[in-house]
Amino acid sequence: MKKIFLLLIGLAFFTFKNNAQTISDIDGNVYNTVVINNRIWMQENLKVTKYRDGTIIPNVTINSSWANLSTGAYCDYNNVPTNSISYGRLYNWYTVNDIHGICPDGWYVPTDEDWGSLLSFLGGDSFSGGLLKETGTVHWTSPNTGATNASGFTALPAGTRYIDGVFGLIGSQGRFWSSTEYNITQAWWLILTNSSAASNKSYNVKTYGVSIRCIKDTATNVNEIINKNRINIHPNPFNDNLQIDFAESIYNIQIFNITGECILQKELNNNTNIIETGAIKAGYYLLRITTTNGIVNFPIVKY
């Protein structure tokens, strides 16, 4: 549990600093984004009606026609366009795999491995659903168990269109395609529910209509990787003192609380530093270290 909260404080701060970026699709829809674990994710479900080269995606409204598809198509939930304003549109998997590309240029539909990495970063299947879901019951049906949206992902329950073309589960489930096939007729997806804080990766038939989120890799911060390998923070969790050992020239350290306020700042002059933390209240914090190679962040907890 402590490991999960340590991850969360880093997430909360990183989200706070990076959620202002937006991206537009070819229809002109504008999406907010969030950085999680060095990846940029859309904070909203995809709404686009064209592939990125301008090719139109068919809007299939007739149930029997939807059931027989083997090519890309989209729909609005219950064929009501206003439902897509908040929840985004529903797409079969064939849109994901179409050579024209459904995500904006430079973006892509996450693989099953991408989803797995996200869930692992958020503490695993048992807790990560709650960290992904939008809070409250404006869109999610009560009880929306465990929803904190600590990741900033803001998952919405857009429901699904079944393989026979019938609609269901809006408000109670969010399902999101991956680009990874399971076999010739099935593909992997992620499922979140209103009744659980867990997340579930599974696979099902490609003719289902579910949500899409697009993802983009950020530039790899080589200096940050180098720094983290050369800095040792201990103990963590800590009580009265926090020790920082390093093999770098470090200019200073800062400790931020969950609101982003700097509560401690100190210059460091040698390779072993004891930081007195008796005045800091118990809780979860972000330790920011400025080195000669750049800035590196560590989640820490005071007990």
Side-chain angles (χ1 to χ4, degrees):
M1 183 64 71
K2 286 180 178 177
K3 179 181 177 182
I4 293 168
F5 281 113
L6 286 170
L7 290 169
L8 287 184
I9 182 61
L11 272 170
F13 188 83
F14 202 35
T15 298
F16 175 77
K17 290 295 183 183
N18 289 277
N19 65 2
Q21 181 181 353
T22 59
I23 180 68
S24 300
D25 63 31
I26 194 168
D27 286 338
N29 298 304
V30 179
Y31 305 88
N32 292 313
T33 67
V34 62
V35 178
I36 309 172
N37 195 21
N38 207 37
R39 300 288 181 85
I40 307 174
W41 292 83
M42 286 184 173
Q43 274 186 312
E44 304 167 59
N45 295 343
L46 199 64
K47 304 174 184 178
V48 74
T49 63
K50 304 182 190 74
Y51 295 107
R52 63 171 166 257
D53 65 354
T55 301
I56 294 174
I57 305 171
N59 178 12
V60 177
T61 59
I62 299 171
N63 289 1
S64 58
S65 298
W66 183 272
N68 293 317
L69 287 168
S70 59
T71 55
Y74 82 88
C75 61
D76 305 294
Y77 189 88
N78 272 344
N79 295 317
V80 178
T82 53
N83 283 331
S84 297
I85 295 173
S86 296
Y87 293 100
R89 294 190 159 92
L90 304 177
Y91 303 86
N92 65 16
W93 186 84
Y94 300 108
T95 58
V96 174
N97 195 47
D98 194 281
I99 60 172
H100 298 289
I102 193 169
C103 291
D105 190 37
W107 294 69
Y108 63 94
V109 178
T111 64
D112 181 59
E113 183 178 359
D114 289 327
W115 284 119
S117 295
L118 176 66
L119 303 186
S120 177
F121 182 73
L122 296 177
D125 296 351
S126 298
F127 303 96
S128 52
L131 311 184
L132 292 168
K133 293 189 296 181
E134 180 191 66
T135 58
T137 55
V138 173
H139 296 109
W140 286 93
T141 303
S142 183
N144 198 12
T145 302
T148 67
N149 198 28
S151 67
F153 186 84
T154 318
L156 292 178
T160 191
R161 192 173 191 180
Y162 296 102
I163 57 176
D164 59 2
V166 174
F167 294 91
L169 300 178
I170 194 169
S172 63
Q173 285 198 15
R175 300 181 178 188
F176 304 88
W177 280 125
S178 83
S179 60
T180 305
E181 287 183 283
Y182 177 73
N183 57 32
I184 194 170
T185 61
Q186 297 175 304
W188 289 92
W189 62 13
L190 174 73
I191 300 177
L192 307 175
T193 73
N194 69 312
S195 59
S196 174
S199 55
N200 177 34
K201 280 197 313 103
S202 61
Y203 52 85
N204 217 314
V205 180
K206 297 175 181 178
T207 47
Y208 268 88
V210 302
S211 301
I212 290 177
R213 291 287 181 104
C214 299
I215 183 177
K216 182 179 183 181
D217 294 330
T218 62
T220 302
N221 189 339
V222 176
N223 286 335
E224 180 160 332
I225 295 171
I226 292 172
N227 285 337
K228 283 193 172 180
N229 290 335
R230 296 181 179 180
I231 299 172
N232 182 28
I233 310 296
H234 62 97
N236 192 16
F238 62 95
N239 191 2
D240 291 332
N241 296 298
L242 181 66
Q243 182 167 328
I244 304 174
D245 303 324
F246 57 90
E248 298 281 336
S249 295
I250 295 183
Y251 296 132
N252 61 65
I253 63 104
Q254 296 168 290
I255 295 178
F256 296 87
N257 62 21
I258 59 174
T259 68
E261 176 188 4
C262 180
I263 62 168
L264 186 149
Q265 183 166 323
K266 181 179 177 64
E267 292 186 1
L268 304 183
N269 300 311
N270 50 59
N271 289 350
T272 298
N273 292 266
I274 305 297
I275 311 301
E276 295 182 0
T277 57
I280 297 177
K281 296 179 180 179
Y284 306 98
Y285 299 90
L286 182 84
L287 171 66
R288 170 168 290 183
I289 300 177
T290 302
T291 79
T292 52
N293 285 324
I295 295 173
V296 59
N297 296 315
F298 293 88
I300 57 175
V301 61
K302 168 75 178 288
Y303 63 87

